[in-house]
Amino acid sequence: MIRETEVDGVQTLLARKSGPLVAGLTFRVGRADETLATAGITHLLEHLALHHNGLSDYHYNGATGSVVTHFHMQGSPDDIARYLNGVCAALANLPMARLEMEKGILRTEAAGRKRGVNDSLPLWRYGAQGYGLVSYEEMGLPRLTPDDLRRWAATWFTRQNAVLWIASDRVPAGLRLHLPEGVRRPVPRPSSALPTTPAYFSDRVNGVVYDTVVRRSAAAQVFSAVLEREMYRSLRQDGGYSYVASTSYDPRGDGFATVTALADALPDKQDAVLGGFVDLLAKLRVGRIDQADIASVRTKAEEALRHEERDAARLPGAAMNALTGQPNQPGEQLLDEIRAVTADDVRAVAVEATAAGLLLVPDGLDAEWAGYRPAPTFSTSAVDGRSYGSRQNDRLGLVIGAEGVSLVDGTHQVTVRYAECAVALAWPDGGRHLIGLDGIAVRVEPTLYAVPPDQIARLDASVPPGSLVWQPAREPSAIPQPSAGQTITSASPAAKRGPATTAGLVVLIVLAAVMGVLTLLCGAVIVSADPVANPDDAILRDPVTYTMFGVTLAVTIGFAVGAVLVARRRRAA
Amino acid sequence: MLPPVSAPAALPAPIFDPYAGYSEPRMLADAAKAGDWRAVDAGFARLTDPDVRHHAIGKVANAAERYFLEDVAAAEPTSVLAGTLLASRLITDGWDIRTGSWGKDVSREQWKAFSEHLHRAEQTLIEVTARDPGQATAWKLRLDIARGLSLGQAEARRRYDHVAPHFLPAQEAMVQQLCPKWSGSYEAMHGFAVECVKASPPGSPNGVAVALAHIEHWLLIDRDEGGPAAAAYLARHDVQGELRWAAEHSVFNPAARPSPGWVTGHSAFAMAFSLAENHAAAAAHFNALLRAGNYADDDSWRYLGDEHAEFVAHRRRAFQRGFSR
């Protein structure tokens, strides 16, 4: 049973648990509340609030999600009190001296983060705003000032916009939550970048990724689990097309939940994974649902919810429910709801899921045959304005107008209107990268188009206040140069040149150089040998010596050819 | 083997319909033409033989008015029969727009209309096979769609794997799928055909897969290198050996019984042997067809142009030369 109380005006949830004490302070703010031009501000604030904790021996952490931010820790009641008191104190008086340092740490964290195959789906579904922002890097970091952070803290990190949760039946003595007054903030309304669903897009993935939004319910939860079992059976066990086949169910905070499904593909089986996935979704939609699957999902739920410490385990989720205005039902009631789910309920969710589906398929495949419409990769219109020809492709033109910028090639266009510009990344060399709220991007590169500097200045003045984000100067090699075959790029994030290729190239050059020196030495020895004058030198004119010379020469050539090939591929990428 | 028929010049024209002896498909087509869905539905409920059922679906789908099939499918969205009939018709209409030309000769507008027809058919069949995965015809039609829309070799194989074993129409579709003109390869196509024969019970008509694969091979050589090279391919010792082996395992096996599939088999073997100028072997197949009621399947003969005239001409030549020794 989760008990509710209050600590210094902060709504508090308590549920007993054995073992070490766990507690957390959760705020109703996350990446979906940011804009692309402030993206990263919540995460940066979370880091600053935790900095004073330093490297201590207890376990604490912070986590910035889509609509909530957690500060949580495990330790003694005293540790917990000290930790949370410290978080509140730091929020009131942010260590601004650490600002640039923490920005750097966040950039390092982002560089080391492994991108998942499903990371891009929110961008395609919601665009470059709200729930879509989790697909993007923390682009706002360079322009965030101490004032921005103080305002953010005062708006979101307030007494009314927080929930404290403790896995214990009592509040640790000495815990004081000094937070400013504010209001409980509603979750953002979802935006949409998809004119119609079901929709699909393609990218460099090895398999199929799917997500959909359904009303949050026990039936939707069972649907997600049944879908996973169906995928495992049909794509892995029976078909042998996939190794990974899994789903997840994540409440969005507004009465809806996202169901995400992922199936990888063995080489040459990508088309079959797509076909198999379309078919198994149809199977659930027409109601051919295995009763054994529902029974198994129920058993798992019973095990999880019968667990003695189930309520303590549910605390972080319960805090999110409380903050987003969603009901927190007792465990027994949740279990009853799961038990009551019928095959027909699951079928109804499958119908709802299909209608809202977004499918990511491997490059080269499409899903129109299965009834999925292509998600927009181009804009429906271009802006009026002055056109600047591309230095490398006669058909390509950059239009800068009073309302925005467009790239046009006669057939397609991509447009960012200033009024709907989410961010304008700016480099000192004049390069600009505009991303619209719909996720469609236009790159303005003076090296590629003959754009005069006054037009760049006009562009900078036209984008919404605060959306211009200055970037550090680029390496000359990072500034695009004219090359044949430049085309309009779509909203999909461009593939980057990997550091692995660079490392490989260096290794190959070093190996080629070492072997080259050995070859030269070997050759020199053979040439300088004088068997007539010195009988000992006879061995140096032996076939074995010549063979050795040949081998080292061949290996040198091998490494050199390898290096040239890698370098060419690197340039092509 | 049956003795040859005398007076070859006076032979009657063959009946180019292996199902001519079956009245149900005709009756169902008449009912569909008359717009009597109840009679169609009830009639199909009595058709249990998958081959006859498959044939009947194609016949009914093409005989009925298209709006009748669309109305029925809309009125009975859960009926697998209504869905399959509509899809079958959409595929035929789509292919009529595309025409049987080589891909490069099909216009943009033709491709667009063709794709739209196939998309609609596919989405109908996704529902049908989701409701009843045992619908052999629906899966066979989905194989045709996979080929027409180039959905990929692994996807085609996945569809084929859903079909009950030894369902000849699906094997014929797979031979097409695996041939090089549809992004397959000769090795894959012949390998598949040989597997079909090996896996089938002796006397079953599935041996024809080997003949069909060699005819597809012949067609591509004929296009690229001309008639003499194509005929030389079929006359190759190993090709002839494989054709004889497949025929003896299937239509010429003592366990074989005349059936529509058997007619299809003899017709294709006769064509392959006749194109190879192995008149004696061709005559044996032509003769078996003649003795069993003068039925013939003109399907693969379409590659030769006027399929009926070509069949008759080849048969005459085979009987004249094949039995003159």
Side-chain angles (χ1 to χ4, degrees):
Chain A
M1 165 103 190
I2 296 178
R3 195 158 64 80
E4 203 179 314
T5 178
E6 223 181 73
V7 174
D8 295 327
V10 173
Q11 186 183 359
T12 301
L13 306 175
L14 301 173
R16 199 166 45 151
K17 171 187 170 295
S18 57
L21 190 57
V22 182
L25 185 60
T26 303
F27 293 92
R28 218 314 282 135
V29 62
R31 295 207 58 189
D33 298 299
E34 303 172 344
T35 65
L36 194 51
T38 61
I41 190 168
T42 315
H43 194 192
L44 180 58
L45 204 90
E46 174 230 299
H47 269 231
L48 288 171
L50 287 180
H51 167 253
H52 70 280
N53 282 286
L55 297 166
S56 55
D57 55 356
Y58 49 65
H59 308 285
Y60 71 92
N61 210 343
T64 306
S66 182
V67 294
V68 290
T69 298
H70 293 288
F71 295 96
H72 51 92
M73 83 153 303
Q74 180 180 316
S76 71
D78 281 351
D79 290 338
I80 301 251
R82 205 162 34 240
Y83 168 75
L84 292 179
N85 292 356
V87 166
C88 293
L91 284 170
N93 185 16
L94 290 162
M96 294 303 181
R98 292 281 308 167
L99 188 57
E100 292 310 313
M101 183 78 85
E102 290 297 339
K103 284 183 184 179
I105 291 172
L106 288 188
R107 272 193 291 272
T108 313
E109 195 178 314
R113 196 176 299 136
K114 237 177 105 182
R115 288 191 66 82
V117 286
N118 54 340
D119 284 356
S120 63
L121 272 80
L123 179 173
W124 287 83
R125 178 178 289 284
Y126 301 108
Q129 53 184 323
Y131 298 95
L133 292 175
V134 292
S135 292
Y136 287 91
E137 289 171 29
E138 295 167 333
M139 290 184 183
L141 291 179
R143 64 167 281 272
L144 294 175
T145 63
D147 278 346
D148 293 330
L149 287 156
R150 284 189 200 102
R151 261 199 305 276
W152 198 254
T155 309
W156 299 95
F157 291 81
T158 65
R159 191 185 304 281
Q160 287 77 9
N161 208 33
V163 164
L164 169 70
W165 51 272
I166 308 168
S168 163
D169 44 14
R170 68 178 63 180
V171 177
L175 179 61
R176 288 285 167 270
L177 300 177
H178 292 301
L179 290 167
E181 293 299 311
V183 290
R184 179 70 55 89
R185 299 266 169 190
V187 292
R189 292 169 63 86
S191 50
S192 175
L194 297 173
T196 53
T197 54
Y200 84 95
F201 66 101
S202 60
D203 203 346
R204 263 200 260 171
V205 284
N206 186 25
V208 166
V209 190
Y210 177 83
D211 89 0
T212 186
V213 177
V214 292
R215 278 164 299 164
R216 185 179 175 179
S217 68
Q221 224 173 320
V222 174
F223 163 76
S224 174
V226 167
L227 177 64
E228 179 171 272
R229 292 177 68 83
E230 193 62 62
M231 285 167 65
Y232 191 86
R233 189 164 45 228
S234 143
L235 301 179
R236 183 173 157 152
Q237 283 182 320
D238 296 351
Y241 313 125
S242 299
Y243 182 72
V244 176
S246 63
T247 65
S248 71
Y249 173 87
D250 303 292
R252 195 168 64 181
D254 61 349
F256 287 83
T258 308
V259 176
T260 310
L262 160 72
D264 68 352
L266 301 177
D268 305 330
K269 301 287 188 201
Q270 302 200 330
D271 48 337
V273 170
L274 173 58
F277 183 78
V278 164
D279 274 356
L280 66 90
L281 200 57
K283 183 183 167 189
L284 299 183
R285 193 170 65 231
V286 302
R288 219 153 47 77
I289 290 155
D290 201 333
Q291 279 298 337
D293 282 349
I294 296 190
S296 150
V297 172
R298 191 179 299 160
T299 309
K300 265 195 185 159
E302 280 169 352
E303 280 165 13
L305 287 168
R306 275 219 189 97
H307 195 266
E308 214 171 294
E309 294 174 347
R310 65 177 185 206
D311 288 328
R314 281 172 52 218
L315 279 170
M320 173 166 159
N321 284 343
L323 285 166
T324 55
Q326 300 296 313
N328 261 324
Q329 294 151 306
E332 200 53 45
Q333 195 181 329
L334 286 176
L335 194 52
D336 285 345
E337 281 189 17
I338 298 263
R339 283 199 192 106
V341 172
T342 63
D344 201 49
D345 296 334
V346 176
R347 183 198 57 77
V349 177
V351 171
E352 193 185 346
T354 302
L358 175 63
L359 189 59
L360 163 56
V361 303
D363 269 343
L365 296 183
D366 80 82
E368 276 197 272
W369 54 271
Y372 292 78
R373 301 289 304 151
T377 46
F378 300 107
S379 305
T380 49
S381 62
V383 295
D384 291 328
R386 183 120 187 243
S387 180
Y388 301 94
S390 161
R391 295 186 205 267
Q392 54 194 359
N393 182 341
D394 293 343
R395 287 178 39 237
L396 209 56
L398 173 73
V399 183
I400 300 188
E403 286 174 24
V405 293
S406 294
L407 266 182
V408 295
D409 74 351
T411 323
H412 298 111
Q413 63 269 322
V414 289
T415 296
V416 176
R417 292 178 192 280
Y418 297 133
E420 286 149 30
C421 176
V423 78
L425 303 180
W427 285 272
D429 57 65
R432 297 291 181 268
H433 184 187
L434 276 66
I435 302 176
L437 291 175
D438 56 3
I440 287 186
V442 173
R443 279 179 183 275
V444 178
E445 297 286 359
T447 45
L448 304 184
Y449 304 91
V451 190
D454 65 310
Q455 285 291 345
I456 301 287
R458 183 178 159 208
L459 188 157
D460 290 352
S462 304
V463 298
S467 65
L468 193 72
V469 181
W470 283 98
Q471 308 289 312
R474 293 187 278 193
E475 294 286 326
S477 64
I479 298 171
Q481 298 301 328
S483 68
Q486 184 205 357
T487 53
I488 292 186
T489 51
S490 70
S492 155
K496 285 185 187 151
R497 180 185 294 170
T501 344
T502 311
L505 183 62
V506 170
V507 167
L508 283 171
I509 291 172
V510 169
L511 285 172
V514 169
M515 288 311 291
V517 169
L518 275 177
T519 312
L520 284 176
L521 282 175
C522 198
V525 164
I526 292 168
V527 171
S528 64
D530 188 1
V532 182
N534 186 354
D536 284 352
D537 277 9
I539 189 134
L540 295 174
R541 291 280 168 96
D542 193 85
V544 175
T545 320
Y546 286 113
T547 309
M548 211 171 94
F549 176 73
V551 168
T552 52
L553 183 65
V555 173
T556 308
I557 292 168
F559 282 131
V561 168
V564 169
L565 288 179
V566 169
R568 272 205 198 139
R569 212 173 39 198
R570 190 165 163 266
R571 211 172 304 139
Chain B
M1 202 177 289
L2 299 162
V5 178
S6 56
L11 286 178
I15 304 158
F16 287 105
D17 178 4
Y19 287 88
Y22 293 77
S23 58
E24 299 97 321
R26 258 199 317 279
M27 282 157 58
L28 290 173
D30 289 342
K33 259 191 273 189
D36 186 351
W37 172 246
R38 273 166 187 261
V40 173
D41 199 23
F44 269 103
R46 289 191 297 270
L47 281 187
T48 48
D49 182 314
D51 292 321
V52 181
R53 192 182 163 84
H54 177 77
H55 170 74
I57 285 173
K59 201 170 173 71
V60 169
N62 292 340
E65 297 288 350
R66 183 156 136 187
Y67 69 81
F68 168 71
L69 298 175
E70 285 171 334
D71 289 351
V72 170
E76 308 217 10
T78 60
S79 162
V80 295
L81 177 63
T84 311
L85 285 170
L86 174 59
S88 173
R89 175 58 174 272
L90 287 167
I91 294 169
T92 307
D93 288 357
W95 229 284
D96 282 349
I97 296 168
R98 182 201 178 281
T99 71
S101 310
W102 297 102
K104 62 178 171 54
D105 299 329
V106 179
S107 77
R108 243 176 106 116
E109 290 71 31
Q110 282 175 310
W111 273 121
K112 189 165 176 283
F114 171 68
S115 305
E116 281 166 6
H117 276 75
L118 262 57
H119 287 172
R120 242 186 102 191
E122 169 70 3
Q123 285 157 38
T124 308
L125 291 170
I126 287 172
E127 293 281 324
V128 167
T129 50
R131 286 184 199 286
D132 182 358
Q135 291 289 324
T137 294
W139 284 113
K140 189 268 171 188
L141 293 173
R142 289 191 72 187
L143 271 172
D144 294 340
I145 293 170
R147 188 170 76 249
L149 296 176
S150 302
L151 297 189
Q153 291 293 351
E155 171 60 5
R157 183 68 206 201
R158 186 188 71 85
R159 293 174 182 212
Y160 177 76
D161 287 341
H162 280 282
V163 184
H166 319 310
F167 185 55
L168 192 52
Q171 293 182 338
E172 292 171 11
M174 243 349 241
V175 167
Q176 285 278 317
Q177 172 72 44
L178 291 169
C179 76
K181 72 179 175 197
W182 294 104
S183 313
S185 67
Y186 288 130
E187 295 72 31
M189 175 176 73
H190 291 302
F192 173 81
V194 166
E195 277 312 307
C196 287
V197 182
K198 282 186 179 162
S200 66
S204 63
N206 303 74
V208 71
V210 160
L212 294 174
H214 286 303
I215 288 172
E216 288 296 337
H217 200 145
W218 165 85
L219 182 68
L220 283 175
I221 296 182
D222 185 60
R223 180 190 68 174
D224 299 336
E225 299 169 38
Y233 162 75
L234 282 178
R236 255 165 48 184
H237 185 69
D238 55 334
V239 174
Q240 288 287 305
E242 197 170 276
L243 285 167
R244 271 197 307 277
W245 162 76
E248 278 159 21
H249 180 84
S250 59
V251 288
F252 275 150
N253 192 280
R257 297 285 172 269
S259 70
W262 180 89
V263 171
T264 303
H266 277 301
S267 303
F269 280 116
M271 178 174 162
F273 281 123
S274 188
L275 289 171
E277 314 223 338
N278 182 344
H279 302 299
H285 288 286
F286 282 126
N287 191 37
L289 287 170
L290 188 60
R291 300 289 305 216
N294 202 11
Y295 290 109
D297 188 339
D298 53 14
D299 212 30
S300 41
W301 288 82
R302 289 205 174 94
Y303 287 149
L304 300 179
D306 181 346
E307 61 268 26
H308 293 180
E310 289 289 340
F311 184 94
V312 170
H314 276 261
R315 185 174 68 173
R316 189 184 304 125
R317 192 179 65 162
F319 283 163
Q320 279 166 355
R321 301 191 189 168
F323 290 130
S324 63
R325 273 172 283 153

